[in-house]
Amino acid sequence: MKKLLALALALCMIFALCATSAFAEGETVGVAMPTKDLQRWNQDGENMKNMLEEAGYKVDLQFASNDVQQQLNQVTNMINSGCSVIVIAAIEGSSLGSALDLAKEKGIPVIAYDRLLMESDAVSYYATFDNYMVGTKQGTYVKEALDLDNAEGPFNLEITAGDPGDNNARYFYQGAIDVLQPYLDEGKLVVKSGQIDFNDVATPTWKTEVAQQRASSILSSFYADGSDIDVWLCSNDSTALGVTNALEDAYDGEWPIITGQDCDISNVKNMIAGKQSMSVFKDTRTLAAQVVKMVGQILAGEEVDVNDTETYDNNVIVVPSYLCEPVFADVNNYEELLLDSGYYTADQLK
Ligand code: BGC
C-alpha cells in the first residue's frame, strides 16, 4: 500500500511539473522598459528576459526611447498580440491609461516594475525597491558625513531631484529631506539658491544634461563669489553625473559630498576617483527575479508574494507591492557589492 501511495505521489509530482512547464511554454510575457539611454533599464530588461526565458516563457521585450506615445503603442501591441502578463516600467506613470483599460478588459494582469503605474485600477501588482528608504540612505549619509548633530556649520547644500512624471522621484526626495529637514530648519544646512521644494529641484526625464544645465546656472548665480558647496544631494546617478560635470567645469572650491543611486558604471568610476561620495545599489537581478516569481504565481493561480499593502496608492487603488531592499554603496564596499557578486567585471570599472 505504502509503495502504491509513493508511486501515486511521484506520478502526481511529475504530472504537476510537466503541466507547469507546458503552461509556461505557451505563454508570452510582455516587458515594457522606458529607454535604452540609462544603463539600469538595459540591465533590468535583459535580466528579466533571461530569467523569464529560463522559466520557459516567451518574452516580448520593448524599450521606448523615453517617448510616452511609443510606450503606449508598445503596450497596446503586447495586449493585442496575446501576452499573458505585462510588466511595465513606465516613462510617465499616468500616461498609459487607455492601454491599461484594454488590458483589464481582456483580463491581462499588469505588473508595475520599479515605477508605479498611476491613476488606474488595472494594476495588479507592483515590484520595486523601497524608494523612500533610498532617500533616507542618502540623507543619513549626508547627516553622518557632516556630523550634523555635533558640527557647528552652517553648511551649504544644493538639491537635485528626479523626474516629476516618475512617482519614485518624490519618495527619494522625501526620504532624504525628512532626515535633513531639522538641520535646514535650524539653519545648519543652508540652500543658497533657495531652491528646496521638489518642483524647484526636479529634473525632467532624469537627464544628465538637464541636471548639468541647472547646476551650472546655480553655480554662476550663487557661488561665483567663491563660497564652497558642502553637499550636493542628488537623487540618482544620472543626475549626479550632470552635477559633477557642472562642478568640474565651473567650481574651484572644496569638492562637495555628492550622493547618487543605481551604481551606474560611470558613477562607480567617479566614486573610485573620489568625485562621488556614495550611491545606492539596487541589484536589478533581485528585482527581476522577484517579478519572474510573481509572473509564475499569477499564471499558476497561486497567491502572489507581496510585503507591502499600504504604501503605494496610485490615486485609484492601493497596489499590493513587493519592496526589495536597497543597499548603501561607496568606495569602501563597492568591490564586495559589485565585483564579488558578479554584477560588474573589474574590466568594466577600469
Ligand atoms: C529608478 C531609478 C533611476 C531613475 C532614472 C527611477 O524610477 O527607480 O533607479 O535612477 O528612475 O532612470
Side-chain angles (χ1 to χ4, degrees), residues 4 17 67 83 106-107 110 144 146 214 276 291 317 329 341:
L4 258 183
L17 272 178
D67 175 338
C83 284
K106 298 205 173 198
V110 171
E144 286 171 3
L146 292 177
R214 180 172 160 267
Q276 183 171 322
V291 170
I317 53 168
S341 76

Side-chain angles (χ1 to χ4, degrees), residues 51-300:
M51 289 183 199
L52 284 165
E53 284 176 350
E54 261 168 43
Y57 301 101
K58 291 193 194 110
V59 180
D60 181 2
L61 169 63
Q62 303 287 337
F63 293 85
S65 327
N66 257 337
D67 175 338
V68 171
Q69 187 57 44
Q70 196 179 333
Q71 189 167 55
L72 189 61
N73 295 343
Q74 289 173 340
V75 174
T76 309
N77 285 341
M78 288 172 185
I79 298 167
N80 289 329
S81 66
C83 284
S84 307
V85 177
I86 299 180
V87 180
I88 306 172
I91 296 165
E92 214 279 317
S94 314
S95 301
L96 294 172
S98 56
L100 298 179
D101 289 348
L102 186 62
K104 190 176 176 197
E105 205 181 294
K106 298 205 173 198
I108 302 170
V110 171
I111 301 175
Y113 184 91
D114 196 87
R115 298 172 171 175
L116 187 57
L117 292 158
M118 305 299 290
E119 319 288 345
S120 169
D121 65 352
V123 191
S124 314
Y125 297 99
Y126 179 35
T128 190
F129 285 88
D130 188 329
N131 296 305
Y132 185 82
M133 192 191 282
V134 169
T136 60
K137 284 189 189 289
Q138 295 166 335
T140 304
Y141 178 80
V142 170
K143 174 180 150 174
E144 286 171 3
L146 292 177
D147 192 16
L148 287 175
D149 282 334
N150 301 305
E152 236 172 69
F155 299 103
N156 288 331
L157 162 81
E158 294 295 337
I159 307 166
T160 294
D163 183 354
D166 175 357
N167 187 58
N168 291 353
R170 284 171 205 273
Y171 283 89
F172 303 144
Y173 167 85
Q174 205 55 53
I177 292 297
D178 284 350
V179 177
L180 300 178
Q181 192 66 53
Y183 309 100
L184 286 161
D185 292 345
E186 185 187 336
K188 213 176 249 190
L189 286 175
V190 176
V191 181
K192 276 184 78 149
S193 69
Q195 296 168 24
I196 301 179
D197 290 349
F198 177 79
N199 288 324
D200 295 333
V201 300
T203 310
T205 71
W206 290 101
K207 267 203 181 311
T208 298
E209 297 72 21
V210 178
Q212 182 167 346
Q213 250 173 29
R214 180 172 160 267
S216 298
S217 120
I218 288 178
L219 287 175
S220 59
S221 310
F222 303 98
Y223 293 88
D225 62 358
S227 353
D228 278 344
I229 302 178
D230 299 292
V231 188
W232 207 306
L233 175 74
C234 300
S235 283
N236 85 332
D237 279 354
S238 62
T239 54
L241 206 55
V243 166
T244 305
N245 293 343
L247 287 163
E248 282 190 314
D249 280 353
Y251 177 73
D252 294 324
E254 185 97 357
W255 195 258
I257 291 167
I258 299 178
T259 65
Q261 159 183 205
D262 290 335
C263 288
D264 283 350
I265 290 178
S266 324
N267 300 74
V268 178
K269 287 182 180 171
N270 277 352
M271 289 204 293
I272 297 167
K275 293 186 201 167
Q276 183 171 322
S277 319
M278 59 85 74
S279 189
V280 178
F281 180 44
K282 305 199 300 190
D283 191 331
T284 53
R285 295 169 299 188
T286 314
L287 185 57
Q290 194 59 42
V291 170
V292 172
K293 189 171 168 196
M294 273 182 170
V295 169
Q297 289 169 330
I298 291 173
L299 290 176

